[in-house]
């Protein structure tokens, strides 16, 4: 694989083989940094996600007065967080910048609405175009004073923090970011907060809050939270590997004719394992080994080999369990025999790029027969792919999905603006090189 600035060139290879240790889970890392910043005491967070998104959260927390460092060398993957406890967060002396990270903006948005000072939070061009009304509306029901551009629908957000009141609220979209934002606000509110989810989304916030001593109960589709009576207790943890990052190697091995990859120490929280369920249903030779629980989160090793995939219909309640894996699932659909239909995934339109449009356009360039739907796509699998120039649209998940497609395409696949993979998986290209055998 040659590297020229942000261009990556991928060639098909004879074999894919090796062990992959995915980076620390991005969703869990954001939460570990934020919740430990509020706690009393010091925490060590091992295997903290190395991508730019979680570094945005760390930078914002530091600007809010939290002492955060690295254990040992500055490049160490262990984050040390000194919780602010009763002193609380401090007003930042400048605009907070979440860059490309919606999780940073939305989770901190909820938290800051409950803190007694003013905050302004912005992001990059992509994030400033993503929906924030879904955050502002429930926070206002709690009494928050939050404003945004575009008649309170877009960032930058201005947040005049104050004492909030708990709410009973049904989440209109199955978004873990909005759920978490409301729970963070609810920690400091007057009265309890009760949330109903029509469809379950990732539950890392709930698990971690319980581990840290919050009074939170989740039962079926509802969550109830009491405001903090004292402080959260800091939580030392080792973050499990990110299944969303592992997904590139799961699909790569499944679609390649000569492959065996072992993914080590990978998170398998059931709210995140839709990609495993779908690959198995498509006929993947996939095995889960050595299951265990660490800091309230399940993890395991996953072994996957070359498989004869068949097309599948994907929709309904499984979508939030694999929403970030749909770009790479589309690549699996291109290679599978028969038709793959993805529906109920309109949320893809408001991710780092419009992932229905960008996935369809870029995979079409590689020769796939793929059609957009308003809420998904139809992929007619089994057509050979051939390498050409494609673009990441500055969307990390698209860049890595195109690399996986390139492994089975004829000739060279040239991915422009590929550096964006560093948003979630800075070592992706290096790891790929290690498993590719020519
Ligand atoms: C995330 C939730 C999901 C997901 C995102 C991370 C989180 O977004 O797509 O990559 O960590 O809470 P939504 O909450 O918008 O569904």
């Amino acid at each position: 694989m040659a590297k020229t600035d942000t261009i990556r060139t991928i060639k098909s290879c004879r074999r894919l083989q090796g062990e992959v240790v995915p980076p620390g889970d991005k969703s869990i890392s954001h939460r570990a940094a934020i919740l430990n910043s509020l706690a009393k005491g010091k925490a060590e967070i091992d295997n903290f996600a190395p991508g730019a998104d979680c570094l945005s959260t760390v930078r914002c927390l530091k600007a809010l007065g939290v002492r955060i460092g690295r254990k040992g060398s500055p490049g160490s993957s262990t984050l040390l967080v000194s919780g602010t406890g009763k002193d609380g967060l401090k007003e930042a002396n400048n605009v907070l910048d979440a860059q490309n990270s919606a999780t940073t903006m939305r989770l901190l948005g909820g938290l800051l609405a409950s803190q007694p000072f003013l905050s302004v939070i912005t992001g990059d061009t992509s994030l400033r175009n993503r929906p924030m009304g879904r955050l502002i509306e429930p926070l206002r029901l709690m009494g928050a004073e939050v404003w945004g551009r575009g008649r309170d629908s877009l960032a930058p957000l201005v947040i005049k923090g104050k004492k909030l009141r708990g709410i009973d609220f049904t989440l209109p979209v199955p978004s873990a970011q909005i759920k978490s934002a409301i729970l963070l606000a609810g920690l400091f509110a007057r009265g309890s907060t009760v949330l109903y989810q029509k469809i379950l989304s990732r539950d890392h916030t709930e698990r971690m809050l319980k581990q840290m001593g919050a009074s939170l109960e989740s039962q079926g589709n509802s969550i109830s939270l009491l405001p903090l009576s004292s402080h959260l207790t800091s939580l030392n943890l080792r973050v499990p590997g990110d299944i969303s990052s592992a997904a590139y190697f799961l699909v790569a091995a499944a679609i390649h004719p000569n492959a065996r990859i072992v993914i080590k120490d990978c998170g398998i929280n059931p709210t995140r394992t839709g990609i495993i369920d779908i690959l198995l249903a498509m006929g993947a030779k996939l095995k889960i080994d050595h299951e265990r629980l660490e800091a309230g989160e399940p993890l395991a090793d996953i072994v996957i080999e070359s498989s004869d995939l068949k097309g599948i219909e994907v929709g309904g309640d499984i979508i939030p369990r694999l929403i970030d894996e749909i770009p790479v699932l589309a690549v699996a659909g291109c290679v599978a025999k028969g038709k793959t239909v993805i529906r109920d995934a309109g949320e893809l339109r408001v991710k780092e790029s419009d992932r229905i449009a960008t996935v369809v356009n870029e995979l079409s360039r590689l020769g796939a027969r793929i059609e957009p739907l308003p809420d998904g796509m139809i992929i007619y699998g089994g057509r050979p792919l051939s390498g050409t120039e494609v673009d990441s649209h500055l969307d990390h998940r698209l860049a890595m999905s195109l690399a996986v497609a390139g492994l089975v395409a004829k000739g060279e696949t040239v991915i422009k603006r590929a550096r964006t993979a560093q948003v979630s998986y800075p070592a992706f290209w290096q790891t790929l090189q290690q498993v590719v055998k020519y």
Side-chain angles (χ1 to χ4, degrees), residues 25-28 30-31 53 102-104 106-107 130-131 134 173-180 201-202 204-205 244 272 320 322-325 347 350-352 355 396-397:
D25 187 273
K26 184 158 87 72
S27 292
I28 296 175
H30 283 295
R31 287 153 174 86
D53 270 9
T103 310
T104 306
R106 293 189 177 129
L107 268 59
R130 295 180 64 185
R134 56 175 69 184
V173 266
S175 161
Q177 292 174 354
I178 304 307
K179 172 173 67 174
S180 304
S201 62
R202 64 193 69 192
H204 308 299
T205 306
S244 298
R272 297 283 298 282
L322 49 62
I323 188 74
D324 293 340
E325 290 67 74
E347 276 295 299
V350 292
K351 294 293 179 187
E352 286 82 333
R355 285 185 180 156
H396 56 129
R397 303 218 182 272

Side-chain angles (χ1 to χ4, degrees), residues 337-403:
K337 275 193 200 83
K339 192 164 82 167
T340 291
V341 184
I342 300 169
R343 289 188 204 279
D344 305 319
E347 276 295 299
L348 291 174
R349 298 226 179 252
V350 292
K351 294 293 179 187
E352 286 82 333
S353 68
D354 171 346
R355 285 185 180 156
I356 295 179
T358 56
V359 166
V360 167
N361 284 345
E362 299 308 312
L363 290 179
S364 297
R365 280 172 184 276
L366 293 173
R369 204 176 137 215
I370 172 167
E371 291 166 6
L373 295 171
D375 63 344
M377 58 194 84
I378 304 179
I379 307 152
Y380 301 90
R383 250 171 90 125
L385 301 180
S386 24
T388 185
E389 200 174 87
V390 287
D391 183 27
S392 74
H393 296 262
L394 292 178
D395 181 336
H396 56 129
R397 303 218 182 272
L398 186 59
M400 293 184 275
S401 301
L402 291 169

Side-chain angles (χ1 to χ4, degrees), residues 1-2 8-16 256 387 403-415 432 436-438:
M1 264 164 284
R8 290 280 176 173
T9 303
I10 307 290
K11 289 190 219 139
S12 57
C13 61
R14 180 181 55 80
R15 181 160 171 81
L16 282 176
H256 193 280
V404 173
L407 292 174
V408 293
K410 201 164 145 250
E412 285 188 351
T413 299
V414 177
I415 306 167
L432 188 60
V436 160
K437 316 287 170 199
Y438 291 106

